[in-house]
Amino acid sequence: FPLTYAVHTYSFHWTSRVQDPKGDGMIQKPREETLSHILAPQQEVYSALVEGAKTKEMVPVNASIMLTIQIVNPYKALFVPHQWLKTVINQIEPDVREAIGRYTYEELTESDGSASNELETDPGFKKRCHTLEEEYGVKITLAQFRSIEPTGKHADEITKNSLRKYSAEQEVREAEQRVLVTEQKAREIDILAGATERRLKQEIGVLKELGP
């Protein structure tokens, strides 16, 4: 461009999820590049890690969060903070820790996703997202827990207990299913027995009418 001496470049650090070359699903891959562009208004997914957060029963956990982000003001994102993604992660971290502190470890790892939805409905987190959008031109369109793993000296014990509980729950569900199947088979037998009894009574009645 006329009167332009150089294209602006900046160093960008981020972590994203990519396909595992071994074919074992998705893995997290830290990346660092010198960029001369910023993506807007596309939405990109970044991974953030909050370490040593405390649950409701004071269990330390490491929480991996997936952030879907859209740059709505490239100028603010590039020139207001030193590194916009690092600033965003650092600012949402206290809100994430607070959200984790409202749940037990068991509740955080339940399959119903209630804790994962907490970030979307938390007033403090929503207010923080609004501030980030206004001050830095960075809009968080979606934030969800990807994994929550215990840390510290009791991490292995907590994980084993969770696995044992999960296995026990699976066994209970399987037993309940077997009971349902057995009850269904019993009803089928009763129905067949009743039908057989009626058929036999009808045949005996016909024979009696026919006589010797």
Side-chain angles (χ1 to χ4, degrees):
F1 297 98
L3 304 180
T4 300
Y5 294 95
V7 175
H8 175 75
T9 60
Y10 64 103
S11 179
F12 189 49
H13 308 257
W14 77 99
T15 301
S16 59
R17 295 188 72 199
V18 298
Q19 184 69 38
D20 188 352
K22 298 179 181 179
D24 297 330
M26 304 294 288
I27 59 173
Q28 297 192 68
K29 181 179 180 180
R31 300 180 63 182
E32 177 182 356
E33 290 184 21
T34 299
L35 302 178
S36 59
H37 66 276
I38 191 166
L39 296 176
Q42 296 95 328
Q43 294 184 0
E44 293 292 327
V45 180
Y46 302 95
S47 177
L49 180 64
V50 176
E51 298 180 300
K54 298 291 182 65
T55 64
K56 188 176 182 179
E57 75 272 46
M58 301 302 292
V59 174
V61 296
N62 292 339
S64 176
I65 306 166
M66 304 309 297
L67 300 172
T68 303
I69 293 177
Q70 178 181 352
I71 301 299
V72 295
N73 190 318
Y75 178 82
K76 287 184 177 181
L78 284 173
F79 300 113
V80 175
H82 177 60
Q83 292 185 5
W84 67 264
L85 182 58
K86 183 177 180 180
T87 300
V88 167
I89 293 174
N90 288 340
Q91 290 206 15
I92 68 171
E93 183 174 331
D95 301 285
V96 173
R97 291 180 181 275
E98 183 178 344
I100 290 174
R102 288 196 288 268
Y103 289 87
T104 64
Y105 175 73
E106 181 179 344
E107 291 170 339
L108 288 167
T109 53
E110 285 178 349
S111 59
D112 60 2
S114 58
S116 294
N117 298 330
E118 175 73 6
L119 295 178
E120 298 181 16
T121 58
D122 180 68
F125 187 79
K126 291 170 67 176
K127 183 178 179 181
R128 180 75 64 184
C129 291
H130 179 73
T131 301
L132 293 171
E133 184 175 353
E134 290 293 319
E135 293 187 2
Y136 305 126
V138 180
K139 180 180 181 181
I140 299 177
T141 60
L142 182 63
Q144 290 182 311
F145 292 117
R146 189 185 70 85
S147 65
I148 297 177
E149 299 177 355
T151 184
K153 60 181 180 180
H154 300 299
D156 292 339
E157 181 180 350
I158 293 171
T159 302
K160 289 178 182 178
N161 288 338
S162 297
L163 289 174
R164 281 197 292 268
K165 181 179 179 183
Y166 175 77
S167 299
E169 290 174 348
Q170 288 292 104
E171 290 178 3
V172 169
R173 282 193 286 268
E174 291 175 1
E176 291 174 346
Q177 186 64 32
R178 287 196 295 270
V179 169
L180 291 174
V181 171
T182 303
E183 290 177 347
Q184 182 64 33
K185 288 182 177 179
R187 283 194 291 269
E188 291 176 1
I189 292 173
D190 289 341
I191 293 171
L192 289 173
T196 301
E197 182 181 2
R198 290 190 297 272
R199 178 179 60 81
L200 290 174
K201 286 181 177 179
Q202 185 178 8
E203 290 178 354
I204 290 173
V206 172
L207 289 173
K208 286 180 178 180
E209 291 178 359
L210 290 175

